Amino acid sequence: RYFLVGSNPAETKYRVLKIDRTEPKDLVIIDDKHVYTQQEVRELLGRLDLGNRTKMGQKGSSGLSRAVSAFGIVGFVRFLEGYYIVLITKRRKMADIGGHAIYKIEDTNMIYIPNDSVRVSHPDEARYLRIFQNVDLSSNFYFSYSYDLSHSLQYNLTVLRMPLEMLKTETTQTRQESFDIFEDEGLSTQGGSGVFGICSKPYEKYVWNAKLLEAVRTAVHRDWLLYIIHGFCGQSKLLIYGRPIYVTLIARRSSKFAGTRFLKRGASCEGDVANEVETEQILYDASVMSFSAGSYSSYVQVRGSVPLYWSQDISTMMPKPPITLDQADPYAHVAALHFDQMLQRFGSPIIILNLVKEREKRKHERILSEELVAAVTYLNQFLPPEHAIIYIPWDMAKYTKSKLCNVLDRLNVIAESVVKKTGFFVNRPDSYCSILRPDEKWNELGGCVVSTGRLQTGVLRTNCVDCLDRTNTAQFMVGKCALAYQLYSLGLIDKPNLQFDTDAVRLFEELYEDHGDTLSLQYGGSQLVHRVKTYRKIAPWTQHSKDIMQTLSRYYSNAFSDADRQDSINLFLGVFKPAEGKPHLWELPTDFYLHHKNTLGLSQTRQSYTYWWTIGVLKHLPLPFDEVTCAENRRKLTVKKFHKYDEEIDIHNEFFRPYELSSFDETFCLAMTNSTRDFMPKNVGIDPSPFTVRKPDETGKSVLGNKNNREETVLQRKTAASAPPPPSEEAVSSSSEDDSGTDKEDEGAVSQRSTPVKVTDTGDNTKITENVVQSTKDVYGVNLSDIPSEDDLAIYARFVQLGQSQHKPDKSSQQFCSKHPLDKVINLIPISSFSQDNIYEVQPPKADRKSIEIFHAHIQAGRGNTQPLGRDDFLMYREYIRNRYM
């Protein structure tokens, strides 16, 4: 047998799973649902070790032996033989949201469960195992023990505020599962000692190991189930005069209709689209990390393929295969299913930003635009006008080629209108300063205003053909606009407006480019080809050669390796399940029938052509149906009763771990980008505010960069200066000399945020040192070799005289002071509880009677003469025991 022993982070509570290894093809797992203490689990393992030892003289191992140490279970999978267990053996902390750590999987281990004596071998098992392991779990898979990553911050915090009385009627599981020795006596007379916690079901669309956990979901306690997401997670620290603000970007890739670029286009018959990613930017004040007391804000937007039946044939080996519509859909059936999902999750309005080309010599991308317009027009006939789907077409490629138009200025106008319609989430009411100094843009903001803050209603859905380069730039501009409103709502800036070339926007741009690179690698096989700098027309001339290399890399990946990756994803997500007598995965000519279930059988229920939304969705709009309080949503929640001193709900004990020795490796394991260290200029004379516009060469990266970086900066500035400056309404955002090359990124490598590697160039060490060691004038703003001014000398003389009059009040000192021009200085008397207090002697104060009694009792206790304990002492001791060991 295998025994899995799991513990909480403080290692005070344990659970044990028993896995039977005698079944060749079935999975037998026993969970006794009991919570053990550390002492109990040691005794249990000791008895198991003793009971399984072989007798003297017999061969074989004896007792228990540790097979592997892990941080969680990804799931259980079976191909043609027995089951495997997939364990997380290495993790790295990537972000922190309100004290909840988010980890990236760094390494995993697959262990075959059945014993060798009962193993039934199959010739194709090794090939299936190899295909399964092609999905690199160490590449951008994330999990959290205490935070639901499949839901948005708005959902998580809205559910927490759901009234308890409504939930108690829906659930019977309100008692604590472990035995409580102090439950009958009670530790608190007011309100009891119970605290109710709410646990929601994950949103399975963004969970990538749902099928792997399917076999054990009902058999084990929910604490064993660890849900992982795929996409991107990055966090940076924005320092505003020392106040830490964490900017977090989380991208959740959909596990439905997932796959690679040319093999997954359009939508499935269930309304799930290819390359669907939900991007959420979270902003919070890190000086207060509690969800209830802190300030948190978030904004969500979505990207995804055009929701139609369409595809591209890659067998022609063309860089841009022709787009074909596979199936006529006059009643927009698949688009209706897709937008119904969005109305349930995000509310209204749904805003579509379509960036595909409108004017082409040969009709290519325009096919999708025409069909999408027809589908949206049809669906809007039946929706109420105030909740209609908003369609914004904008040919981004045409505007990019034009010298008379600034692409980002136009995107900024679109972003402002979008954020005003949807609003954003913030968990605190509007600041009093926004009432005193009302802003026009703030008063026009949409969304839903509630007593506890604001809710985002509706979402922006951006698409181009691939949903990679153009989409990422458009999402960055919308995110930048939303970031300004978020900062304003938290009282950090005086107007909801952010300009380019500020430390804050540079930090946010780097975060978004890492996000775009990572998503592009997952779907297209290469990093971004066109970046924000490309559309600002300040990209260096060296960028063009890199763009060509990325294009070739993308073409190679699409032509030669995407088919194998698609097979791996289908096997990992459980879309294809190997079975005896069925064709193997590599024998299938296409996976079309795996993803489109309606091709194998007709559905019994037919969707209405006019009432195409789910019942009950319209009644609650503009609020999302998933977040309203109704019987259907309450069934997705589980309520559990905790003791108020339980470690699971005590965020101070959970985060700071006061009972353990601190480890530097754990305390400083999260190395995030810092606006002051990485972006702010090193000269002190410059305004340290992250909202001040900088010159192109004024950034922390260019000061400490190496020779190649500095040369590229100069070349970029020359290139930018020679380009004609595009006209614009806002001089700052359209300036041709912006941060050209100062945010230099290593575009040839994988995203720095997903795999941070410290690179040092030993060849330029001396030159780097020359840059770092600067004169005192540059660093402090003054030259210490200059003679101090008369005012400074007078202040110093006064300081010396005060010190002398304090500890040497003799005649010689008085005579010296009377001759000094500062003889009329007031003699300051220190205020202290000590009667005599200076640097030479101290007269201790007298202790009161109660303090003397406590001290005497302490002395007597040290000699063994203890006093009898009172009721308060017993209650305090019980609280300590419960908090430490229960």
Side-chain angles (χ1 to χ4, degrees):
R1 294 184 182 89
Y2 278 133
F3 290 92
L4 259 70
V5 181
S7 77
N8 62 344
E11 297 186 6
T12 55
K13 295 179 180 179
Y14 292 82
R15 290 185 183 274
V16 179
L17 277 185
K18 185 169 73 172
I19 304 175
D20 190 5
R21 301 183 64 196
T22 58
E23 291 290 337
K25 290 192 175 182
D26 294 330
L27 183 64
V28 180
I29 291 185
I30 300 168
D31 182 7
D32 58 9
K33 305 286 175 74
H34 182 68
V35 179
Y36 296 89
T37 64
Q38 193 174 56
Q39 184 63 32
E40 288 171 348
V41 82
R42 281 178 179 169
E43 291 174 359
L44 174 67
L45 295 176
R47 288 196 299 270
L48 289 170
D49 181 43
L50 197 62
N52 286 286
R53 282 184 182 172
T54 54
K55 294 180 181 179
M56 294 296 292
Q58 289 185 352
K59 293 182 180 179
S61 60
S62 62
L64 288 177
S65 61
R66 178 176 293 192
V68 66
S69 295
F71 294 105
I73 303 172
V74 175
F76 298 84
V77 64
R78 176 181 175 268
F79 308 123
L80 296 169
E81 295 180 9
Y83 273 91
Y84 296 83
I85 181 171
V86 187
L87 298 170
I88 301 167
T89 55
K90 196 175 179 183
R91 68 182 185 188
R92 180 155 55 90
K93 188 175 178 180
M94 294 300 294
D96 186 277
I97 301 176
H100 300 270
I102 298 173
Y103 297 97
K104 176 178 178 286
I105 298 176
E106 290 282 289
D107 198 9
T108 55
N109 192 3
M110 281 185 76
I111 298 175
Y112 189 67
I113 293 174
N115 211 325
D116 290 340
S117 58
V118 296
R119 182 168 186 169
V120 180
S121 60
H122 194 283
D124 294 315
E125 179 77 7
R127 186 167 181 180
Y128 275 116
L129 182 62
R130 193 165 59 250
I131 293 172
F132 182 87
Q133 290 176 332
N134 272 349
V135 174
D136 187 7
L137 279 169
S138 64
S139 175
N140 309 115
F141 283 88
Y142 304 91
F143 69 94
S144 175
Y145 298 113
S146 53
Y147 182 80
D148 188 355
L149 284 171
S150 67
H151 283 294
S152 64
L153 181 74
Q154 176 172 316
Y155 177 90
N156 288 334
L157 294 191
T158 305
V159 166
L160 285 175
R161 289 200 171 93
M162 202 168 277
L164 181 64
E165 291 73 23
M166 306 177 77
L167 292 167
K168 289 171 81 173
T169 59
E170 299 289 333
T171 181
T172 56
Q173 189 180 4
T174 56
R175 289 184 62 84
Q176 194 172 3
E177 294 181 5
S178 58
F179 179 68
D180 185 2
I181 57 172
F182 297 132
E183 189 173 4
D184 296 328
E185 296 180 35
L187 294 177
S188 176
T189 55
Q190 296 181 351
S193 59
V195 175
F196 289 92
I198 301 173
C199 176
S200 63
K201 286 185 180 177
Y203 193 65
E204 291 213 357
K205 186 176 193 174
Y206 298 115
V207 175
W208 277 64
N209 62 334
K211 292 287 183 183
L212 300 179
L213 292 172
E214 208 171 45
V216 297
R217 187 172 294 173
T218 55
V220 301
H221 190 272
R222 65 174 177 273
D223 288 352
W224 288 104
L225 305 177
L226 195 64
Y227 298 102
I228 63 173
I229 66 164
H230 184 39
F232 173 79
C233 178
Q235 190 171 57
S236 295
K237 184 191 292 184
L238 182 65
L239 277 175
I240 305 174
Y241 294 106
R243 186 176 180 182
I245 306 297
Y246 284 3
V247 183
T248 313
L249 207 59
I250 298 175
R252 310 173 184 91
R253 180 174 290 282
S254 171
S255 61
K256 310 290 184 186
F257 205 53
T260 53
R261 186 182 175 205
F262 285 125
L263 298 176
K264 284 291 162 282
R265 293 295 211 193
S268 69
C269 63
E270 296 173 353
D272 299 305
V273 297
N275 194 22
E276 184 174 7
V277 182
E278 180 184 300
T279 299
E280 180 180 21
Q281 61 188 58
I282 299 172
L283 189 81
Y284 75 95
D285 187 347
S287 54
V288 182
M289 66 181 184
S290 163
F291 276 144
S292 55
S295 302
Y296 290 81
S297 177
S298 74
Y299 183 76
V300 177
Q301 47 186 325
V302 177
R303 68 171 70 183
S305 189
V306 179
L308 305 167
Y309 289 119
W310 66 280
S311 63
Q312 286 178 282
D313 184 14
I314 57 170
S315 61
T316 56
M317 297 296 286
M318 294 170 62
K320 285 188 177 180
I323 292 172
T324 55
L325 293 170
D326 300 331
Q327 204 171 323
D329 195 6
Y331 299 106
H333 172 74
V334 66
L337 288 170
H338 177 67
F339 290 122
D340 181 34
Q341 287 181 15
M342 297 191 75
L343 285 173
Q344 286 189 56
R345 183 163 172 84
F346 303 109
S348 69
I350 302 295
I351 304 171
I352 302 171
L353 178 57
N354 186 15
L355 302 174
V356 303
K357 295 175 182 176
E358 298 287 338
R359 292 184 181 180
E360 297 173 300
K361 293 178 182 177
R362 182 174 57 87
K363 199 190 246 189
H364 180 64
E365 295 185 9
R366 190 151 51 96
I367 299 170
L368 300 176
S369 287
E370 291 171 355
E371 286 294 318
L372 184 58
V373 169
V376 171
T377 308
Y378 174 81
L379 296 175
N380 273 342
Q381 296 177 89
F382 313 108
L383 280 176
E386 64 272 17
H387 302 311
I389 300 168
I390 300 170
Y391 179 75
I392 304 174
W394 191 57
D395 188 344
M396 191 169 172
K398 184 186 80 172
Y399 279 88
T400 306
K401 292 173 185 174
S402 170
K403 294 182 179 179
L404 301 175
C405 179
N406 190 312
V407 177
L408 298 191
D409 277 356
R410 175 64 183 146
L411 272 176
N412 196 50
V413 173
I414 295 172
E416 285 283 352
S417 66
V418 165
V419 177
K420 280 180 183 175
K421 287 184 177 74
T422 62
F424 63 97
F425 169 73
V426 62
N427 74 330
R428 51 178 263 182
D430 292 352
S431 302
Y432 187 58
C433 62
S434 63
I435 301 170
L436 287 176
R437 293 175 294 171
D439 188 86
E440 291 180 10
K441 291 165 65 176
W442 182 256
N443 293 333
E444 296 171 4
L445 197 62
C448 183
V449 181
V450 293
S451 60
T452 55
R454 289 176 175 269
L455 299 177
Q456 178 182 346
T457 57
V459 73
L460 172 70
R461 184 194 190 280
T462 312
N463 73 268
C464 47
V465 177
D466 296 322
C467 304
L468 296 178
D469 302 354
R470 286 174 279 181
T471 299
N472 198 67
T473 302
Q475 284 196 332
F476 163 72
M477 288 303 296
V478 177
K480 170 179 166 287
C481 177
L483 182 69
Y485 281 101
Q486 290 176 287
L487 289 165
Y488 181 80
S489 70
L490 301 184
L492 300 170
I493 52 177
D494 58 348
K495 287 188 180 297
N497 186 32
L498 285 177
Q499 295 178 329
F500 275 105
D501 299 317
T502 57
D503 296 343
V505 174
R506 285 175 175 175
L507 176 141
F508 190 64
E509 183 184 335
E510 185 182 77
L511 204 56
Y512 245 98
E513 290 206 346
D514 285 350
H515 158 267
D517 280 339
T518 306
L519 296 181
S520 183
L521 275 164
Q522 291 164 9
Y523 182 66
S526 77
Q527 293 182 335
L528 289 174
V529 176
H530 303 299
R531 301 169 179 274
V532 176
K533 289 187 182 66
T534 311
Y535 291 105
R536 289 184 72 190
K537 299 180 180 175
I538 61 167
W541 62 272
T542 53
Q543 182 67 41
H544 300 305
S545 59
K546 291 180 181 177
D547 290 350
I548 293 168
M549 290 304 297
Q550 295 297 345
T551 306
L552 291 173
S553 172
R554 188 175 290 184
Y555 176 72
Y556 174 83
S557 175
N558 300 153
F560 301 108
S561 63
D562 277 5
D564 294 336
R565 286 174 59 206
Q566 185 65 57
D567 286 346
S568 302
I569 291 169
N570 289 340
L571 189 63
F572 184 86
L573 292 174
V575 177
F576 176 86
K577 293 183 178 177
E580 291 285 351
K582 279 176 61 179
H584 293 300
L585 180 60
W586 51 87
E587 294 173 352
L588 297 177
T590 175
D591 65 350
F592 181 85
Y593 305 102
L594 299 177
H595 291 275
H596 295 80
K597 306 293 183 187
N598 61 356
T599 57
L600 302 177
L602 289 173
S603 175
Q604 298 299 319
T605 58
R606 293 179 66 85
Q607 190 181 12
S608 170
Y609 290 139
T610 55
Y611 297 103
W612 51 266
W613 51 84
T614 304
I615 299 170
V617 169
L618 279 191
K619 185 171 68 174
H620 299 286
L621 289 179
L623 289 173
F625 180 74
D626 286 354
E627 294 175 18
V628 297
T629 305
C630 64
E632 187 177 338
N633 286 337
R634 286 200 293 267
R635 281 194 287 272
K636 299 175 185 175
L637 304 175
T638 307
V639 179
K640 184 181 176 184
K641 186 178 179 184
F642 296 88
H643 193 275
K644 66 179 180 179
Y645 296 110
D646 200 314
E647 286 167 341
E648 287 183 63
I649 61 167
D650 187 348
I651 193 164
H652 179 271
N653 280 353
E654 184 77 18
F655 190 81
F656 293 106
R657 314 276 278 280
Y659 299 112
E660 296 181 12
L661 289 174
S662 298
S663 164
F664 281 148
D665 290 340
E666 292 181 4
T667 307
F668 301 108
C669 64
L670 182 55
M672 65 178 80
T673 308
N674 188 310
S675 64
T676 304
R677 183 185 65 230
D678 298 324
F679 295 97
M680 195 180 83
K682 302 305 177 189
N683 299 328
V684 169
I686 292 175
D687 185 1
S689 168
F691 308 115
T692 303
V693 179
R694 312 286 189 202
K695 294 177 183 177
D697 54 345
E698 284 185 350
T699 176
K701 292 195 172 183
S702 64
V703 171
L704 293 177
N706 57 20
K707 180 181 176 183
N708 297 333
N709 198 346
R710 290 197 299 276
E711 284 178 358
E712 187 165 310
T713 303
V714 174
L715 287 168
Q716 287 174 12
R717 286 164 59 189
K718 287 180 180 177
T719 309
S722 62
S728 69
E729 300 169 0
E730 192 174 347
V732 177
S733 64
S734 63
S735 168
S736 61
E737 277 201 22
D738 288 330
D739 58 338
S740 47
T742 52
D743 279 357
K744 182 173 183 295
E745 294 181 23
D746 186 8
E747 283 135 3
V750 183
S751 166
Q752 295 173 357
R753 200 161 302 280
S754 61
T755 316
V757 179
K758 187 175 180 182
V759 180
T760 55
D761 190 356
T762 54
D764 290 330
N765 277 349
T766 53
K767 298 192 177 181
I768 293 173
T769 311
E770 287 173 10
N771 283 334
V772 174
V773 180
Q774 301 172 356
S775 66
T776 54
K777 178 72 175 174
D778 293 337
V779 177
Y780 299 103
V782 294
N783 196 345
L784 298 181
S785 61
D786 294 343
I787 299 172
S789 64
E790 292 184 4
D791 293 341
D792 294 336
L793 283 171
I795 293 169
Y796 178 68
R798 182 183 301 178
F799 169 74
V800 172
Q801 193 265 343
L802 283 171
Q804 289 175 340
S805 64
Q806 175 66 25
H807 65 81
K808 274 191 178 181
D810 54 3
K811 292 182 181 180
S812 61
S813 168
Q814 290 171 3
Q815 287 174 4
F816 171 77
C817 292
S818 61
K819 295 176 184 178
H820 202 272
L822 299 173
D823 56 349
K824 295 181 181 179
V825 174
I826 300 170
N827 191 7
L828 301 177
I829 301 171
I831 300 172
S832 173
S833 59
F834 299 90
S835 58
Q836 190 169 356
D837 179 15
N838 57 43
I839 59 173
Y840 293 102
E841 54 184 337
V842 174
Q843 179 66 39
K846 292 183 179 179
D848 57 6
R849 182 181 169 189
K850 189 173 181 180
S851 301
I852 294 172
E853 287 177 357
I854 292 172
F855 179 71
H856 281 304
H858 175 68
I859 296 296
Q860 292 299 323
R863 293 173 178 170
N865 303 324
T866 56
Q867 294 183 349
L869 299 175
R871 176 175 173 76
D872 292 341
D873 299 319
F874 276 110
L875 290 176
M876 188 183 297
Y877 178 68
R878 284 173 178 170
E879 282 190 29
Y880 169 75
I881 291 295
R882 177 191 300 281
N883 190 25
R884 184 68 181 91
Y885 297 106
M886 297 302 293

